[in-house]
Amino acid sequence: MELAKTRGDLSKAILDRSFTLELVRVTERAAVAAAGWRGKGDEKAADAAAVEAMRAELERVHISGRIVIGEGERDEAPMLFIGEEVGAGNGPEVDIAVDPLEGTTLCAKNQPDSICVLAMAERGGLLNAPDVYMHKIAIGGGYPPGTVDLDMSAGEAVRSLARAKGVPVNEITACVLDRPRHGALIEELRSAGVALKLISDGDIAGVIHATNTEETGIDIYIGSGGAPEGVLAAAALRCVGGQMQGRLILDTDDKRDRARRMGIDDPSRKYGVEDLASGDVLFAATGVTDGNMLEGVRLGRNHVDTSTIVMRSWSQTVRWIKARHRR
Ligand code: VTB
């Protein structure tokens, strides 16, 4: 069988493809560091270990990187703060979004789908999103544009998706963060007959699961979660296909001010995948705990095994990289 050789326009492949493996090293190292804190009930320590490891490994990558989604503002985060320069400083100018330990609670409780995540784009390619909530809706590839929309009610969206899929609505499964604020949403989905996969945390994985329905059984992700996680999920969707929309929840003057300072003039803008992550994008995630998408870190006597997914928007290549590291 022949592989598609020219998926995209070669002139748009700004990011050298060898960076994919560089990013794998970064998320692997963060995951190994966090794995030592699995099940220990200490979210902060797990997160700090991942942040430090990610920061150290990024230092070795030949990029002039700038953190656009990170651990917070300069005054609140000692490492990987927004605006921090990262990388060896001798390569292309790129923007970096990180969630060094997505699902800190999942890691602290040793529950599924805690992952270390990083996305890289050409300069200006990732939305500088403030750390607020974002309404999100996402489905997999292969559906006509506009099959679901943030401006539809949840009931309308799942009925439209069921029609497009050619199944009754009671065969649709929606993934939703299990939060009191989603009470009405959950009620609406249940009364439409939809099956719910309620997750306690980790909606980057939740969104990606919706693009991999055959394996996860999830058709749609819907609800509000972190805006930074929304940008990272969009970076992944640029590589695996799928539709997603997001809208920032800027419900106070303070949040609107913060957003304005980050360059967001229209507080009610509906963002599509390309508005959140544009141009050439790479995305990597390594499992910390076992999950639907990735196995967690295996700590053996003499070696440590990691499992990583890494993808590239230009070629739409998705690689699963299992690695064995000597202890
Ligand atoms: C969201 C979600 C994340 O934390 O930010 C959530 O996007 C926090 O939600 O994936 P609450 O403020 O309602 O607790 C995660 O689940 C994990 O960081």
Side-chain angles (χ1 to χ4, degrees):
M1 185 197 120
E2 276 275 319
L3 292 176
K5 288 205 186 72
T6 47
R7 273 302 178 126
D9 174 352
L10 199 47
S11 66
K12 294 198 176 128
I14 308 273
L15 303 174
D16 190 283
R17 65 183 182 177
S18 62
F19 282 129
T20 47
L21 195 54
E22 300 295 322
L23 299 194
V24 171
R25 289 196 184 90
V26 176
T27 55
E28 279 177 352
R29 185 157 164 193
V32 172
W37 290 97
R38 267 183 317 213
K40 303 268 174 77
D42 191 341
E43 306 178 5
K44 285 216 165 75
D47 194 45
V51 169
E52 198 174 314
M54 190 173 262
R55 177 71 177 75
E57 196 61 36
L58 262 174
E59 206 50 9
R60 304 171 66 178
V61 183
H62 296 292
I63 50 168
S64 299
R66 181 181 70 180
I67 299 289
V68 294
I69 301 260
E71 288 294 282
E73 306 289 321
R74 179 189 289 267
D75 53 351
E76 63 197 30
M79 267 186 267
L80 300 178
F81 57 83
I82 296 163
E84 185 177 353
E85 305 279 334
V86 292
N90 56 355
E93 294 196 340
V94 295
D95 280 353
I96 305 272
V98 294
D99 195 346
L101 184 58
E102 153 76 340
T104 48
T105 309
L106 298 173
C107 176
K109 293 185 174 173
N110 214 342
Q111 288 177 342
D113 274 333
S114 174
I115 53 180
C116 298
V117 189
L118 185 153
M120 180 165 120
E122 46 194 286
R123 210 31 70 97
L126 299 167
L127 179 73
N128 294 17
D131 192 7
V132 297
Y133 287 116
M134 176 186 260
H135 288 300
K136 307 173 193 178
I137 191 165
I139 58 174
Y143 292 110
T147 298
V148 299
D149 196 290
L150 270 185
D151 290 328
M152 293 175 176
S153 70
E156 278 168 359
V158 289
R159 279 189 291 274
S160 167
L161 176 60
R163 267 196 308 278
K165 192 179 179 187
V167 298
V169 73
N170 64 10
E171 287 181 26
I172 293 292
T173 298
C175 179
V176 176
L177 268 175
D178 195 4
R179 292 292 187 279
R181 66 173 181 273
H182 287 150
L185 170 67
I186 289 171
E187 186 114 329
E188 186 179 353
L189 290 169
R190 286 215 200 285
S191 58
V194 165
L196 290 181
K197 164 96 175 171
L198 292 170
I199 55 171
S200 66
D201 267 303
D203 74 351
I204 298 180
V207 168
I208 298 174
H209 289 339
T211 69
N212 189 16
T213 308
E214 286 191 5
E215 276 187 35
T216 61
I218 293 167
D219 298 285
I220 180 167
Y221 176 86
I222 187 164
S224 60
E229 287 85 347
V231 174
L232 280 157
L237 260 54
R238 286 288 321 288
C239 307
V240 293
Q243 299 179 30
M244 174 180 171
Q245 289 177 338
R247 181 179 276 135
L248 299 171
I249 305 181
L250 299 169
D251 49 5
T252 64
D253 284 342
D254 173 57
K255 289 180 195 168
R256 280 188 289 273
D257 278 351
R258 249 193 301 150
R260 209 169 299 123
R261 283 199 301 276
M262 294 177 84
I264 292 163
D265 295 324
D266 176 1
S268 52
R269 178 164 172 196
K270 187 165 64 177
Y271 294 91
V273 176
E274 295 260 357
D275 304 316
L276 297 167
S278 59
D280 205 7
V281 177
L282 305 177
F283 175 96
T286 301
V288 177
T289 56
D290 279 344
N292 239 326
M293 180 164 73
L294 291 162
E295 282 172 15
V297 174
R298 297 269 180 281
L299 298 171
R301 273 178 68 197
N302 302 316
H303 50 249
V304 175
D305 290 347
T306 53
S307 155
T308 302
I309 189 168
V310 61
M311 5 183 168
R312 193 170 170 233
S313 69
W314 178 76
S315 58
Q316 304 233 309
T317 316
V318 182
R319 292 183 168 85
W320 285 265
I321 299 195
K322 292 195 80 144
R324 173 155 288 184
H325 315 262
R326 254 192 95 76
R327 296 193 92 165

